[in-house]
C-alpha cells in the first residue's frame, strides 16, 4: 500500500515546514488532510494560488518555513507571484503541484497548462523534481527541501499520476 | 491548533462590535454613473459618498503613514504594498520591521497574513492601495477565516490607479472596501473619516484583538520616498529586524 502522502508529510515537517496553504485538488486530499491533522502545522485554504504563494512568502519572511499545495491548472495563477516575490527575494517556499493533463487526462482544458509547468519553472530558475515512484519520494523531497532552505531558493515538487494515480474520468 | 481556520475565531470568542462605515445597502441610492476617468478624488466635498464620509475630506497618505509609524513603539511589523504605500512608508522613516514590496501587486495582505502567523507576538499591519486590494479581494476572506489576532489591514483609497496615470478604479464611485471587508467576515472594519479617527483606529488595533480593517480616503499626492530596490537586502534587513534571522550576519 503506497503511503506517498505520509512520506511527504514526514519529510516536509522534518525539514521544518510549519505552514501549508493550498487551493484544493482531489489528488491532494490525503496531503491536505494529513497536514490539517498535524499538530505542528498550520494549514488552511487560500482563495487562489498566487495568494497562497504570498501567504507562504510572508510566513517564510517571519521565520516559519512554508509550502503551497496546488493543482497544475492553479500553477497558471502563480507566475507573477513567483517571478516578482519568491525568486528575486530568494524565499525558500516549497511548491507542491499535482499534475493533471497527462497520462490519461479526460478534460482537454487541463492539457495545455501541463505543458507549461516545467518550461515556466525552468525559465524562472526554480528547481523542480517529478515524483513518480513511492520509493523515490523520501530522497527527492528531503533533498529538494534541504537545498531550498540552505540555498534560499524555492523548490517545486511535481506529483505525477504515476505516483498518485491521478484523477480518472467518472 | 488555534491558528487553523475553525479554531482561531472560536478561540477569540464573540467579536467586539464593529465601528464606523456606511451600513450595508446604503450606497445604492448614493451612486452616480462611474466616470471613465476619475477626477478630484473619490468623494465630492459636502456629499455622502459610498464610504459614508459625510463631508469627508481626502487626507494625506504620507501624513497618515507618519501618524501610524509614530504609534509603533513595540517592534510592530508593517508590510507595504507596491507603489505609493511603500514609498510613503519609507518616507515616514526607515524601520527594520518594515517590509517593502517591489512588485507583486495585490499581495500585501497575503504576505502580512503569513508574517502574522509566523510572528504571533507582534502586531502586523498590511498597507495596500485600493487598486491593489481590488485585485485580490479573496485575501480578505482568507484573513477573516484564519482570523489572526495580530493583523490589521489598512487601505489607502483614492479611487484611482494613481501611479499609472489616475485611471478610475471601481472604488471611485461604486465599491466600498470597508463594506467588502465586513462582508468578507472582518467584523472590525471601519472608515477613518479624519486624522484623529485614524489614530484612534490604529490605537485600537495596537491594544485590541484582530483581525481589523481600516479604510482611509486619501488624496493623490505622489509617494514621497523610494526604498532601495534590492529585494534580497530588503528581505535580509526585515528578517533580522524581526528576529527571524540572527541580528547580525554571521552571529548565529
Amino acid at each position: 500500500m503506497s503511503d506517498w502522502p505520509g512520506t511527504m508529510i514526514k519529510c516536509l515537517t522534518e525539514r521544518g515546514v510549519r505552514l501549508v496553504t493550498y487551493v484544493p485538488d482531489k489528488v491532494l486530499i490525503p496531503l491536505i488532510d494529513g497536514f490539517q491533522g498535524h499538530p505542528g502545522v498550520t494549514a488552511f485554504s487560500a482563495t487562489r494560488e498566487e495568494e497562497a504563494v504570498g501567504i507562504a512568502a510572508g510566513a517564510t519572511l517571519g521565520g516559519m518555513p512554508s509550502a503551497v499545495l496546488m493543482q497544475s491548472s492553479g500553477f497558471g495563477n502563480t507566475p507573477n507571484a513567483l517571478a516578482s516575490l519568491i525568486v528575486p527575494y530568494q524565499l525558500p517556499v516549497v511548491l507542491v503541484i499535482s499534475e493533471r493533463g497527462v497520462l490519461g487526462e479526460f478534460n482537454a482544458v487541463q492539457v495545455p497548462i501541463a505543458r507549461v509547468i516545467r518550461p515556466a519553472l525552468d525559465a524562472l530558475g526554480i528547481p523542480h523534481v517529478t515524483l513518480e515512484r513511492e520509493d523515490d519520494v523520501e530522497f527527492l523531497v528531503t533533498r529538494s527541501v534541504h537545498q531550498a532552505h540552505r540555498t534560499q531558493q524555492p523548490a517545486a515538487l511535481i506529483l505525477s499520476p504515476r505516483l498518485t494515480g491521478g484523477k480518472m474520468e467518472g | 491548533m488555534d491558528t487553523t481556520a475553525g479554531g482561531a475565531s472560536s478561540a477569540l470568542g464573540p467579536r467586539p462590535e464593529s465601528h464606523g462605515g456606511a451600513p450595508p445597502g446604503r450606497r445604492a441610492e448614493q451612486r452616480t454613473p462611474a466616470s471613465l476617468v476619475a477626477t478630484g478624488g473619490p468623494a465630492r466635498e459636502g456629499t455622502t459618498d459610498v464610504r459614508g464620509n459625510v463631508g469627508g475630506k481626502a487626507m494625506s497618505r504620507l501624513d497618515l503613514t507618519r501618524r501610524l509609524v509614530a504609534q509603533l513603539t513595540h517592534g510592530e511589523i508593517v508590510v507595504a504594498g507596491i507603489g505609493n504605500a511603500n514609498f510613503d512608508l519609507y518616507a515616514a522613516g526607515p524601520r527594520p520591521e518594515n517590509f517593502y514590496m517591489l512588485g507583486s501587486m495585490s499581495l500585501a495582505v497575503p504576505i502580512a497574513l503569513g508574517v502574522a502567523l509566523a510572528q504571533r507576538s507582534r502586531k502586523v499591519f498590511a498597507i495596500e492601495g485600493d487598486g491593489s486590494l481590488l485585485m485580490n479581494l479573496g485575501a480578505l476572506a482568507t484573513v477573516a477565516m484564519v482570523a489572526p489576532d495580530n493583523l490589521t489591514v489598512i487601505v489607502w483609497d483614492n479611487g484611482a490607479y494613481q501611479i499609472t496615470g489616475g485611471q478610475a478604479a471601481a472604488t471611485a464611485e461604486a465599491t466600498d472596501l470597508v463594506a467588502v471587508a465586513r462582508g468578507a467576515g472582518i467584523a472590525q472594519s471601519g472608515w477613518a473619516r479624519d486624522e484623529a479617527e485614524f489614530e484612534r483606529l490604529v490605537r485600537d488595533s495596537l491594544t485590541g484583538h484582530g483581525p481589523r480593517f481600516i479604510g482611509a480616503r486619501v488624496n493623490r499626492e505622489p509617494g514621497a520616498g523610494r526604498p532601495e530596490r534590492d529585494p534580497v537586502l530588503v528581505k535580509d534587513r526585515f528578517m533580522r529586524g524581526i528576529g527571524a534571522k540572527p541580528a547580525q550576519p554571521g552571529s548565529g
Side-chain angles (χ1 to χ4, degrees), chain A residues 39 42 51 58 62 84 89-90, chain B residues 1 3 100 102 104 119 142 231 235:
Chain A
T42 299
E51 180 201 352
S84 66
Y89 283 89
Q90 298 182 13
Chain B
M1 135 119 251
T3 48
Y100 305 104
L102 302 172
S104 317
Q119 295 278 325
T142 306
K235 174 187 79 165

Side-chain angles (χ1 to χ4, degrees), chain A residues 19 39-48 50-51 54-55 58-64 80-81 84-85 88-91 152, chain B residues 1 3-4 99-102 104 107 110-111 113-115 117-119 136 138-139 142 145-146 231-232 235 238-239 242 244:
Chain A
L19 182 136
V41 175
T42 299
F44 57 90
S45 62
T47 65
R48 117 185 220 107
E50 68 171 343
E51 180 201 352
I55 294 166
T60 301
L61 286 163
M64 191 180 203
N80 188 50
S84 66
L85 184 63
Y89 283 89
Q90 298 182 13
L91 298 171
Q152 302 289 295
Chain B
M1 135 119 251
T3 48
T4 52
F99 183 72
Y100 305 104
M101 290 171 59
L102 302 172
S104 317
L107 293 188
I111 291 170
L113 171 59
V115 176
L117 293 173
Q119 295 278 325
N136 190 6
T142 306
M145 177 184 76
V146 177
V232 174
K235 174 187 79 165
F238 176 73
M239 290 185 74
I242 64 171

Side-chain angles (χ1 to χ4, degrees), chain A residues 17-32:
Chain A
V17 169
R18 288 194 291 127
L19 182 136
V20 174
T21 181
Y22 60 87
V23 178
D25 166 59
K26 227 166 178 174
V27 167
L28 294 170
I29 288 171
L31 276 181
I32 293 168

